[in-house]
Amino acid sequence: MSATPLTILVTGGNKGIGLEVCRQLARAGHQVILSARSTERGQAAVAALVKEGLHVDFLELDTSDEGSIHRAVQALSGRIKALHVLINNAAILQTWMGTILDVTAVELRETFNTNVVGPILLTQALLPLLEAGKPARIINVSSQLGSVAQMTDGWPGYGISKAALNAATRKLAVALQKRGISVNAASPGWVKTDMGTENAPLSLEQGARNIARLVTDFPAATTNKFLQENGEYPW
Ligand SMILES: NC(=O)c1ccc[n+]([C@@H]2O[C@H](COP(=O)([O-])OP(=O)(O)OC[C@H]3O[C@@H](n4cnc5c(N)ncnc54)[C@H](OP(=O)(O)O)[C@@H]3O)[C@@H](O)[C@H]2O)c1
């Protein structure tokens, strides 16, 4: 049980790393709100955690839909007075193959909408609740594939979207530092999930731990960093 329970919102919490992050943080004694774009899948995930003896609440939230973001924040404002942690975890990866020479406009737009625009709009909409919860933190779940310093050929739409999410992380960190809200990007590593595939070296538990530890092991004031399992990663 954590000494000071925090209220934490996780996007894309119905499966994969998001679900496991919800599990680990609820086990640590925090008040976790698991959000998902599908009520059915989200409620099923919450039910599974409740069956394990954990207390987790559900919120419907599609990060690619501005209307859904605003409805979710309105609903949340009626349920909690302050939010201490926002974990922008929801993301899509449409194609592994090809290079930037092959990527389509549809893939770029859809990937940007979910992976970049959604986290920025959600952050803006949640600012009153986050300010009420300061020192508050925002964790943007990024990827090593988003490192501009080490940009590779493949995963073009996804890689560019995570680089943009990293840029948004830095801008938000600067914009929010004086308002008591820290903002960091964190890579879970290559993790066995539907997105990461069975070929990934890291277990779900390890990957989620690399994200959850930013809440449990880092001071709230840590900001403007791109973190991974072994420390900082080049932007
Ligand atoms: N797995 C890896 O190796 C790896 C590596 C680096 C970074 N990451 C990052 O880690 C995070 C979690 O990835 P994962 O491996 O757990 O992926 P995953 O198993 O594919 O899960 C993705 C989650 O995001 C949700 N989602 C997608 N679009 C959404 C939207 N518009 N609104 C709300 N939720 C949405 C999905 O919901 P549905 O079930 O409804 O589709 C699902 O819950 C992502 O940010 C990913 O980029 C993963």
Side-chain angles (χ1 to χ4, degrees):
M1 176 67 82
S2 160
T4 49
L6 303 171
T7 301
I8 300 170
L9 173 64
V10 180
T11 67
N14 58 289
K15 70 171 184 177
I17 292 166
L19 174 57
E20 181 59 25
V21 165
C22 288
R23 177 180 283 114
Q24 292 183 9
L25 292 175
R27 273 188 193 146
H30 298 294
Q31 181 193 1
V32 175
I33 298 150
L34 179 159
S35 72
R37 58 179 160 179
S38 153
T39 300
E40 198 183 346
R41 291 193 289 276
Q43 294 278 27
V46 167
L49 295 181
V50 168
K51 215 170 163 185
E52 295 170 22
L54 299 170
H55 179 81
V56 175
D57 293 310
F58 175 67
L59 180 71
E60 185 181 310
L61 171 53
D62 181 339
T63 64
S64 70
D65 177 350
E66 199 171 348
S68 171
I69 289 173
H70 288 287
R71 282 190 299 279
V73 172
Q74 198 173 16
L76 195 60
S77 303
R79 283 158 50 175
I80 60 171
K81 289 194 164 42
L83 184 67
H84 303 107
V85 184
L86 164 63
I87 302 182
N88 282 311
N89 165 77
I92 55 170
L93 190 172
Q94 289 191 341
T95 50
W96 292 73
M97 309 302 286
T99 73
I100 193 160
L101 304 179
D102 313 299
V103 73
T104 65
V106 170
E107 178 179 345
L108 282 171
R109 290 197 180 103
E110 290 182 358
T111 307
F112 256 67
N113 203 31
T114 299
N115 298 7
V116 187
V117 180
I120 295 171
L121 295 186
L122 183 60
T123 299
Q124 291 173 347
L126 283 170
L127 275 183
L129 280 175
L130 286 163
E131 286 201 281
K134 66 187 179 189
R137 16 186 149 191
I138 298 167
I139 298 160
N140 291 328
V141 181
S142 186
S143 165
Q144 296 178 358
L145 297 173
S147 167
V148 171
Q150 300 192 5
M151 196 53 69
T152 55
D153 213 17
W155 306 276
Y158 179 81
I160 296 168
S161 80
K162 291 296 187 181
L165 180 67
N166 285 356
T169 300
R170 303 206 73 176
K171 283 208 173 284
L172 286 167
V174 171
L176 295 175
Q177 190 152 26
K178 288 205 173 81
R179 293 165 75 168
I181 301 168
S182 65
V183 191
N184 294 291
S187 168
W190 185 17
V191 185
K192 286 186 206 305
T193 63
D194 287 348
M195 185 186 288
T197 78
E198 264 305 304
N199 298 326
L202 293 188
S203 69
L204 193 53
E205 291 73 16
Q206 285 172 291
R209 181 81 207 113
N210 291 338
I211 304 302
R213 77 193 182 102
L214 267 78
V215 178
T216 55
D217 301 2
F218 279 66
T222 305
T223 196
N224 207 351
K225 296 199 181 302
F226 184 16
L227 297 155
Q228 48 120 15
E229 193 170 14
N230 301 316
E232 286 190 51
Y233 204 73
W235 290 104

